[in-house]
Amino acid sequence: MSTQGQILAGFLAPHPPHLVYGENPPQNEPRSRGGWENLRWAYERARRSLERLKPDVLLVHSPHWMTQVGHHFLGVRHLAGKSVDPIFPNLFRYNFELEVDVELAEACCAEAREVGLVGKMMRNPNFRVDYGTITTLHMIRPQWDIPVVGISANNSPYYLSTEEGLEEMDRLGKATRRAIEKLGRRAVLLASNTLCHWHFHEEPEIPEDMSREHPQNYEGYLWDMRIIELLRQGKTREVFELLPTFIQEAFAEVKSGAFTWMFSAMGYPELPGELHGYGTVIGTGNAVMEWDLTARA
Ligand SMILES: [Fe+2]
């Protein structure tokens, strides 16, 4: 008997490379004296949930794998190389090695085409996986022992309107869900997004000097608190009604689509999200949150 595939949980799992830098894993070249502990401890709690869920696969949608034409999917079984953050090469030069669930990636791509999206498999064996994908995956599962599906962020919310672009992400989410169910995978979704994205333009001399870390913008901070409070109450519909205004006023990175993709795939559950922690990184607002669909009666 084949098991029915399902989405076990979704995580809001932001990707500031500073978090990896603060952890000093052997894969990352630069060394730090710590920093951004609130968020790193938040990820530690999220890791414990992931350990309990035991998924077959992690799917991640990253704003820093930008594709102009269509939605792309990692399509090479084994990928290895060095991922460098172009903005913070002083903090993130990470030697990655990962396994891709190519069968599921191909199914996601096929289902995306089925709902009228442009889908494309990425088959370059020397592809450098972007720092957003790597940071989110490292922070949630530093053991790297669960296969992944990497999904690009098509630029549609930027060259179309926010609403039109996010409508595409909604379709991408539904397609992703169908692929997971068809293939019988037990999947966890990762939305690699920061909330308020107003940031400082200068880095302190010691990047991990936490006496310099705080929200860059008070209005943006208030927006983050409003959105997080609604998510904690399970008021998903209200969050999505507010989303375009939030994006505009807080310059929120959820514009790039991961958050909408994940909620669409989960069926926009009116389920209280568990906040593992919140913190700023160069002034931007970051929340690590979890929606455990297996906990639903
Ligand atoms: Fe980002």
Side-chain angles (χ1 to χ4, degrees):
M1 211 173 73
S2 68
T3 27
Q4 172 73 33
Q6 60 167 320
I7 295 168
L8 303 173
F11 288 83
L12 180 57
H15 56 253
H18 306 65
L19 305 182
V20 170
Y21 170 70
E23 297 244 316
N24 290 311
Q27 296 99 322
N28 197 34
E29 289 172 0
R31 294 292 101 186
S32 73
R33 296 174 69 191
W36 303 279
E37 281 77 9
N38 282 349
L39 279 164
R40 296 197 289 111
W41 293 332
Y43 264 111
E44 282 181 20
R45 286 187 283 273
R47 285 172 196 167
R48 286 199 286 275
S49 292
L50 191 68
E51 180 65 33
R52 198 177 56 245
L53 291 162
K54 297 203 185 321
D56 302 322
V57 59
L58 302 173
L59 294 92
V60 55
H61 185 287
S62 166
H64 300 289
W65 181 16
M66 267 179 269
T67 50
Q68 296 298 329
V69 180
H71 306 264
H72 296 214
F73 301 82
L74 295 182
V76 178
R77 178 79 51 199
H78 181 84
L79 285 165
K82 187 179 287 188
S83 185
V84 178
D85 180 343
I87 315 278
F88 296 102
N90 56 325
L91 307 183
F92 192 85
R93 301 187 301 278
Y94 187 102
N95 294 291
F96 68 91
E97 202 171 348
L98 57 84
E99 299 298 322
V100 176
D101 184 342
V102 177
E103 194 190 1
L104 179 60
E106 285 171 348
C108 290
C109 186
E111 292 293 335
R113 287 175 182 161
E114 207 56 40
V115 294
L117 299 173
V118 176
K120 191 174 185 338
M121 294 302 296
M122 194 299 298
R123 303 288 193 188
N124 173 4
N126 301 315
F127 186 67
R128 268 191 170 194
V129 179
D130 69 282
Y131 75 91
T133 300
I134 299 290
T135 296
T136 288
L137 286 168
H138 175 91
M139 292 309 293
I140 199 90
R141 188 71 180 174
Q143 302 94 315
W144 291 96
D145 57 354
I146 301 174
V148 309
V149 170
I151 308 175
S152 80
N154 175 250
N155 258 189
S156 52
Y158 298 89
Y159 61 73
L160 304 171
S161 68
T162 297
E163 284 82 354
E164 284 172 286
L166 292 184
E167 189 276 331
E168 277 203 16
M169 303 305 173
D170 171 83
R171 272 190 280 160
L172 182 68
K174 291 181 168 74
T176 303
R177 182 196 185 97
R178 263 194 292 279
I180 290 166
E181 288 177 348
K182 272 190 184 171
L183 265 62
R185 297 290 197 274
R186 299 171 72 260
V188 162
L189 307 183
L190 306 169
S192 182
N193 276 163
T194 287
L195 298 175
C196 171
H197 209 274
W198 297 116
H199 56 80
F200 298 117
H201 291 274
E202 274 174 36
E203 191 175 44
E205 199 174 323
I206 302 168
E208 61 269 42
D209 177 355
M210 290 297 101
S211 71
R212 307 283 297 276
E213 188 62 80
H214 58 86
Q216 194 270 353
N217 181 290
Y218 180 49
E219 294 301 321
Y221 173 79
L222 290 176
W223 258 117
D224 278 4
M225 293 308 113
R226 184 176 175 191
I227 293 292
I228 287 170
E229 207 41 60
L230 289 169
L231 290 170
R232 291 180 68 217
Q233 292 168 23
K235 294 185 176 168
T236 303
R237 198 175 312 116
E238 204 173 328
V239 168
F240 277 86
E241 279 164 15
L242 285 171
L243 206 65
T245 317
F246 170 51
I247 286 169
Q248 195 182 345
E249 294 188 5
F251 189 41
E253 202 190 33
V254 293
K255 178 165 181 163
S256 59
F259 184 75
T260 301
W261 160 78
M262 177 173 84
F263 267 92
S264 165
M266 297 196 298
Y268 299 98
E270 294 274 311
L271 177 73
E274 186 179 351
L275 178 70
H276 289 302
Y278 177 86
T280 63
V281 178
I282 51 160
T284 68
N286 298 268
V288 180
M289 290 192 79
E290 172 183 349
W291 289 266
D292 180 354
L293 303 184
T294 68
R296 262 195 309 199

